[in-house]
Amino acid sequence: MRTFRHARLLAATGAALAALALTACDNGTGTEDEGRAEPSTTRTAQPDDKQTGGTQTKEPNEPTAETEQAEPTAQPSSDAGSFEPVICNGSNTKVTAQTVSRPLNHMLLTVTNTGSKPCSLPYYPLVRFDEMQWAPQVREDSQPQAVPTLDPGESGYAGVMLSAADGSGENGTTAKQLTVGFQGMEPGSDGGATATAPLPKKGVYYDSALTVTYWQQEAEDALN
């Protein structure tokens, strides 16, 4: 009878141990392992992500607050000192006439730009003494390579041969008044207002040999 009870006790103890083995795992330390946490899935930031490590980053071409301002508008440049030349005439110049000792029987006309813009001196002066009814000839060999252009305050020049040095001229007379006309950009065209140049009190003698040069940039060229 005792042997039978002892056997039942051993059987019950073994069944309990087996059940314990099925419901718990020995982790080698004598304590129950509550279960290993599954690793969470992590996402590696891609190159096109706009946030890395919690700090916002901008795309290379995405404007920032500093660059969102409007582009500056180009201002048109102006060159206030640059003007298209006008024609020199009696309204924007001062004209003087001065007799010279060399060459003989010559006079120098000086035209000074008194305006605010550059002006040009095309061709040659239209010289008229008193009320004479004929136009002096021009020396064709005096034509310059370029039309003289005068900045404000600058002067241009023309030479006038009054009479023949050898006395071969005809109809000599003494003039008391000189009027200078100006040509436009076409030969013989009207260049605008004429100018009156004062002459010496004794007047200026001229004859049929009266000739003029083209307008020159330099006085020396006008008298040579």
Side-chain angles (χ1 to χ4, degrees):
M1 190 66 172
R2 182 182 294 177
T3 302
F4 177 73
R5 289 179 176 177
H6 181 71
R8 289 183 63 185
L9 180 60
L10 290 175
T13 302
L17 291 174
L20 181 62
L22 292 173
T23 58
C25 295
D26 188 355
N27 61 4
T29 63
T31 60
E32 183 179 354
D33 191 350
E34 293 295 336
R36 187 175 300 169
E38 290 295 328
S40 61
T41 302
T42 59
R43 178 174 178 268
T44 303
Q46 298 300 317
D48 60 347
D49 283 351
K50 292 187 178 182
Q51 296 201 11
T52 302
T55 302
Q56 186 176 6
T57 59
K58 295 292 184 182
E59 293 290 347
N61 294 327
E62 185 176 355
T64 62
E66 291 78 12
T67 61
E68 286 179 349
Q69 298 178 359
E71 291 290 335
T73 302
Q75 297 296 325
S77 59
S78 61
D79 186 2
S82 178
F83 296 96
E84 189 71 21
V86 297
I87 299 298
C88 298
N89 57 41
S91 67
N92 55 18
T93 64
K94 178 183 178 180
V95 181
T96 61
Q98 179 184 2
T99 56
V100 296
S101 58
R102 291 286 187 272
L104 291 175
N105 305 331
H106 275 66
M107 182 174 66
L108 178 68
L109 295 181
T110 301
V111 176
T112 302
N113 183 355
T114 58
S116 59
K117 299 179 180 180
C119 68
S120 296
L121 283 170
Y123 306 106
Y124 50 89
L126 304 176
V127 174
R128 182 184 182 188
F129 286 110
D130 294 333
E131 300 298 326
M132 76 182 197
Q133 301 300 311
W134 54 278
Q137 297 296 312
V138 62
R139 284 183 49 189
E140 292 295 344
D141 61 355
S142 66
Q143 184 173 1
Q145 294 183 352
V147 175
T149 298
L150 311 180
D151 286 332
E154 288 188 335
S155 298
Y157 308 90
V160 180
M161 187 177 77
L162 297 169
S163 60
D166 58 4
S168 60
E170 300 177 351
N171 303 319
T173 187
T174 299
K176 300 292 185 179
Q177 184 177 355
L178 171 63
T179 302
V180 177
F182 299 86
Q183 300 184 65
M185 296 307 294
E186 296 295 331
S189 62
D190 185 6
T194 61
T196 300
L199 295 175
K201 290 183 178 181
K202 65 179 181 178
V204 171
Y205 178 84
Y206 71 95
D207 61 22
S208 60
L210 181 67
T211 56
V212 298
T213 69
Y214 280 82
W215 291 113
Q216 308 291 330
Q217 200 79 46
E218 303 294 337
E220 292 79 2
D221 295 332
L223 294 175
N224 287 335

